Amino acid sequence: MNQKILKLENLLRFHTVFRQLHSLGQRRLAQWNHVFSSAYPVWTAQLCIRPWQTDPLIGVALSQYRLLVTKKEERSQKSQLFSTKSKKEVEVWIGMTVEELARAMEKDIDCVYEALMNTAIDLDSLEAYSRLDEVWIKEVVKKTGMKLKWSKLKQDKVRENKDAVRRPQADPALLTPRSPVVTIMGHVDHGKTTLLDKLRKTQVAAMEAGGITQHIGAFLVSLPSGEKITFLDTPGHAAFSAMRARGAQVTDIVILVVAADDGVMKQTVESIQHAKDAQVPIVLAINKCDKAEADPEKVKKELLAYDVVCEDYGGDVQAVHISALTGDNLMALAEATVALAEMLELKADSTGPVEGTVIESFTDKGRGPVTTAIIQRGTLRKGSILVAGKSWAKVRLMFDENGKTIHEACPSMPVGIVGWRDLPSAGDEILEVESEPRARAVVDWRKYELEQEKNKEDLKIIEEKRKEHQEAHQKAREKYGKVHWKERSFLKYQERKEQKPLKAKEKEERDSHVLPIIIKGDVDGSVEAIVNIMDTYDASHECELELVHFGVGDVSENDVNLAETFRGVIYGFNVNVGNVIQKSAAKKGVKIKLHKIIYHLIEDLQEELNSRLPCTVEEHPIGEASILATFSVTEGKKKVPVAGCRVQKGQLEKQKKFKLIRNGDVIWKGSLSSLKHHKDDVSVIKTGMDCGLSLSEEKIEFKVGDEIICYEEKQVPAKTSWDPGF
């Protein structure tokens, strides 16, 4: 209010001064005109040009006016400075989206679009979730009259690394001798489990489904000499490549079992490669030497091609001829293994926090998540706090391979551990930490790290999709750029019409070409093997294979609900299904398929894929005839070409389909309009008989020597082209 009064006073003062100047100027001008006559025109003109420049009163008035104007300008500059200081600060960060920028400025998204008009950015391709470059963020904030402030939230959110890591190497003087960890590897059905069975004097092989090892077994075997060896029995089946690699990574020695009557096979070569990658020495066990067709020397020669040179050929690989079935020469194999272990001087630190590796993990009904592990350092005791992958445990119970409770586990010892909060994955590193809060902190950190990696991958995918969308939009703009707006509207309408929603029948047909599956297994390694086989699926053009969920444990109600939602099939491997779950699945129309042998499961999956494929149509010939003459008959006003034929093979049936072949090429397919024997219409013409026939398409011309084939179409179930490799 005071400013308005001051402004009014200044205006009144200025108006008064102006009136005084005007009246004074008129009087002075009259005086000067009276004093100076027209006799002195030049003098008068010179004096009358700027009279207010010489008058003191006028000078004072002008100086007062200038003072007022100067003060006004100073006030306007101060107000501008004040408005600059009061600009709203907008907190921004690199990579923020359009929506996030609008929210930070407390404005509508349209405000961002308006600010980016007449810039190089393509507004048509800009969505609410689109990420803006640093240049455009600055441009928007500048145009909206706000002040930019770069956020430091990203730096503040960097979390401290709380991961647990292995201890530094111990002093060699503190190390004590340990038992060797030996992995038995080789091709399927070459006698690995039978060999271990004889060493343990148990019936492991008899308990395996189909006599095939389905997961890694870890056993501690005591030899008559008093030596102890930890054996890992890895599956030889093609599906379990990941398990064999994991077995090689935690072992000291690999016993490569090769059947003397079968020789080097695919998984034998793979096992050799795993051993080389892990830099583990090999002991060769040539099995089934009791058979008449056994040829151990052939095996040794075949192995030369894979750089496995036996001692007989000047190499360093010990070769022992054995028979796992009869037990011949097994002690020699054990002695060779112990001798190699002594040469390696295997030692470990049995003090301090525990370090180990998860060999296998599964869920037990009474015990919950259970792992089989090999201890590599330290001594594991009840109550220890362990971390493995994204899970942690307080050890409640430990047991050996026979299920007997043990109180401590030393290095190289296989042990079953109960007390896990979640199920760790096979191959995860086990580390002991000091307390439960520390274990939780480690798991939280690992989950956070995994989430950050996933976010980076998602961001990369989103950016790629954005670029694709932008390129597609740019192409569309170029397509419609030179087209009149009416024609452009019509073309877009046509495109929208083509993109109409699918009808129920079309949707059902589309869904039939997708097979959603849920995998449940007894142990983590088995599930891993099945999922790895799924990764080899390469027939998506025929039927899409969609892995909805996989996990360890029996089939649950959640699995059934998930399968119902996705119209999928549940595959169980070595798991059980309760009566309640079976009834629920039957009621909801969900298929549950259980298997105990992995290749049976894969065969079942292939059959299910086959059932989703459309049937193929095959042509089955019924009869063949050759054209001996051609002529035409008049029917009404039309001339119809007729072929005189003789049936060479089979018979011609009028109701079936026909094709005309000329010089080996099919030139017509369709049905007959007439089939006559002499002048009589007939439905069938047999071998050796003559006939006349005309086609349903009158434009086709016959030539002597052409062939007529009568055939029928049969629908044959299609087979998937996917080959899982075994």
Side-chain angles (χ1 to χ4, degrees), residues 472-541:
H473 181 78
Q474 194 66 33
K475 285 179 182 177
R477 286 190 69 182
E478 288 172 5
K479 180 181 175 183
Y480 298 125
K482 297 178 181 179
V483 181
H484 190 266
W485 69 269
K486 287 184 179 179
E487 190 178 348
R488 182 166 63 243
S489 301
F490 176 73
L491 290 171
K492 286 185 176 180
Y493 167 74
Q494 290 290 102
E495 285 180 4
R496 284 196 300 273
K497 197 175 177 183
E498 288 173 7
Q499 294 171 359
K500 61 184 178 182
L502 295 173
K503 294 178 182 177
K505 190 178 179 181
E506 291 173 338
K507 191 176 181 182
E508 189 178 340
E509 190 178 329
R510 183 198 63 187
D511 292 344
S512 68
H513 291 81
V514 179
L515 175 58
I517 61 170
I518 294 167
I519 304 292
K520 295 302 289 283
D522 58 340
V523 295
D524 186 71
S526 300
V527 176
E528 178 192 26
I530 296 166
V531 171
N532 285 343
I533 294 169
M534 301 295 112
D535 290 341
T536 67
Y537 185 72
D538 56 358
S540 296
H541 59 284

Side-chain angles (χ1 to χ4, degrees), residues 268-278:
T268 310
V269 177
E270 191 188 82
S271 299
I272 293 168
Q273 193 58 50
H274 287 320
K276 285 182 177 178
D277 291 343

Side-chain angles (χ1 to χ4, degrees), residues 90-310:
V90 182
E91 196 169 46
V92 297
W93 58 91
I94 293 170
M96 69 190 307
T97 62
V98 173
E99 191 176 7
E100 287 170 343
L101 181 57
R103 201 182 301 126
M105 296 191 303
E106 296 181 359
K107 292 190 178 291
D108 194 69
I109 289 178
D110 292 337
C111 180
V112 179
Y113 287 127
E114 286 172 14
L116 291 172
M117 284 178 71
N118 301 320
T119 59
I121 198 166
D122 185 9
L123 290 176
D124 293 331
S125 65
L126 205 63
E127 304 289 345
Y129 55 82
S130 300
R131 298 189 176 276
L132 294 168
D133 294 335
E134 186 180 339
V135 180
W136 305 124
I137 293 170
K138 288 179 179 178
E139 184 74 17
V140 171
V141 175
K142 182 182 174 183
K143 285 190 176 179
T144 48
M146 297 184 184
K147 193 176 179 183
L148 196 74
K149 182 186 177 185
W150 289 104
S151 173
K152 293 183 179 179
L153 290 173
K154 297 292 177 185
Q155 287 78 7
D156 296 339
K157 281 188 178 178
V158 173
R159 290 171 61 171
E160 182 187 350
N161 189 336
K162 294 186 178 180
D163 202 1
V165 292
R166 284 181 179 265
R167 290 180 286 152
Q169 291 293 328
D171 185 356
L174 301 174
L175 302 180
T176 55
R178 65 173 177 83
S179 304
V181 178
V182 179
T183 300
I184 299 177
M185 302 178 81
H187 192 72
V188 64
D189 200 30
H190 274 203
K192 299 181 299 301
T193 305
T194 309
L195 167 62
L196 189 58
D197 176 21
K198 280 291 178 184
L199 290 168
R200 293 180 64 220
K201 295 181 182 178
T202 60
Q203 291 297 317
V204 178
M207 293 186 289
E208 294 283 4
I212 297 172
T213 305
Q214 304 287 334
H215 48 74
I216 291 178
F219 311 101
L220 186 66
V221 175
S222 297
L223 302 175
S225 61
E227 298 287 342
K228 290 186 177 181
I229 302 175
T230 296
F231 281 101
L232 299 181
D233 181 19
T234 62
H237 196 274
F240 298 102
S241 174
M243 284 194 196
R244 285 191 291 279
R246 189 160 58 247
Q249 292 296 330
V250 297
T251 196
D252 303 310
I253 299 167
V254 166
I255 293 181
L256 182 65
V257 179
V258 185
D261 62 334
D262 209 4
V264 176
M265 303 297 285
K266 187 177 179 181
Q267 270 70 56
T268 310
V269 177
E270 191 188 82
S271 299
I272 293 168
Q273 193 58 50
H274 287 320
K276 285 182 177 178
D277 291 343
Q279 297 181 348
V280 177
I282 293 173
V283 174
L284 178 63
I286 303 175
N287 194 19
K288 302 184 181 182
C289 287
D290 56 319
K291 286 192 173 184
E293 58 271 24
D295 189 356
E297 293 304 315
K298 179 191 171 188
V299 172
K300 292 177 186 177
K301 288 175 182 176
E302 285 178 351
L303 288 169
L304 290 172
Y306 305 100
D307 295 331
V308 177
V309 185
C310 299

Side-chain angles (χ1 to χ4, degrees), residues 244-538:
R244 285 191 291 279
R246 189 160 58 247
Q249 292 296 330
V250 297
T251 196
D252 303 310
I253 299 167
V254 166
I255 293 181
L256 182 65
V257 179
V258 185
D261 62 334
D262 209 4
V264 176
M265 303 297 285
K266 187 177 179 181
Q267 270 70 56
T268 310
V269 177
E270 191 188 82
S271 299
I272 293 168
Q273 193 58 50
H274 287 320
K276 285 182 177 178
D277 291 343
Q279 297 181 348
V280 177
I282 293 173
V283 174
L284 178 63
I286 303 175
N287 194 19
K288 302 184 181 182
C289 287
D290 56 319
K291 286 192 173 184
E293 58 271 24
D295 189 356
E297 293 304 315
K298 179 191 171 188
V299 172
K300 292 177 186 177
K301 288 175 182 176
E302 285 178 351
L303 288 169
L304 290 172
Y306 305 100
D307 295 331
V308 177
V309 185
C310 299
E311 290 175 338
D312 298 351
Y313 292 88
D316 56 356
V317 176
Q318 299 178 77
V320 184
H321 301 184
I322 64 167
S323 172
L325 192 64
T326 61
D328 291 346
N329 227 13
L330 292 190
M331 288 314 301
L333 177 63
E335 286 169 6
T337 306
V338 171
L340 183 56
E342 287 175 357
M343 288 173 62
L344 295 172
E345 296 182 350
L346 302 170
K347 293 183 179 181
D349 178 13
S350 58
T351 61
V354 172
E355 294 175 10
T357 302
V358 176
I359 298 299
E360 202 54 272
S361 59
F362 58 95
T363 302
D364 187 83
K365 276 188 178 178
R367 295 170 172 174
V370 180
T371 62
T372 302
I374 294 286
I375 304 303
Q376 294 167 315
R377 194 174 179 185
T379 302
L380 182 64
R381 295 181 177 86
K382 187 179 176 181
S384 298
I385 310 297
L386 305 177
V387 173
K390 298 184 289 299
S391 179
W392 68 278
K394 183 175 182 179
V395 180
R396 296 202 319 265
L397 178 70
M398 296 186 295
F399 56 91
D400 62 12
E401 70 274 10
N402 298 314
K404 185 181 175 182
T405 303
I406 56 176
H407 300 290
E408 63 177 33
C410 302
S412 296
M413 194 170 172
V415 59
I417 302 169
V418 178
W420 294 95
R421 295 301 187 270
D422 297 300
L423 196 67
S425 297
D428 282 348
E429 183 182 62
I430 295 175
L431 297 172
E432 185 180 359
V433 293
E434 58 272 15
S435 63
E436 289 187 26
R438 170 69 178 137
R440 289 193 191 93
V442 171
V443 171
D444 287 345
W445 166 258
R446 290 178 179 180
K447 286 179 179 176
Y448 167 75
E449 252 191 337
L450 192 69
E451 188 182 343
Q452 291 298 105
E453 286 177 13
K454 188 176 180 299
N455 288 343
K456 284 179 183 177
E457 289 174 6
D458 290 347
L459 206 68
K460 189 178 177 182
I461 291 166
I462 289 168
E463 190 60 29
E464 286 174 0
K465 291 285 183 186
R466 188 188 70 81
K467 284 180 180 177
E468 284 177 15
H469 177 72
Q470 196 167 351
E471 286 171 7
H473 181 78
Q474 194 66 33
K475 285 179 182 177
R477 286 190 69 182
E478 288 172 5
K479 180 181 175 183
Y480 298 125
K482 297 178 181 179
V483 181
H484 190 266
W485 69 269
K486 287 184 179 179
E487 190 178 348
R488 182 166 63 243
S489 301
F490 176 73
L491 290 171
K492 286 185 176 180
Y493 167 74
Q494 290 290 102
E495 285 180 4
R496 284 196 300 273
K497 197 175 177 183
E498 288 173 7
Q499 294 171 359
K500 61 184 178 182
L502 295 173
K503 294 178 182 177
K505 190 178 179 181
E506 291 173 338
K507 191 176 181 182
E508 189 178 340
E509 190 178 329
R510 183 198 63 187
D511 292 344
S512 68
H513 291 81
V514 179
L515 175 58
I517 61 170
I518 294 167
I519 304 292
K520 295 302 289 283
D522 58 340
V523 295
D524 186 71
S526 300
V527 176
E528 178 192 26
I530 296 166
V531 171
N532 285 343
I533 294 169
M534 301 295 112
D535 290 341
T536 67
Y537 185 72
D538 56 358

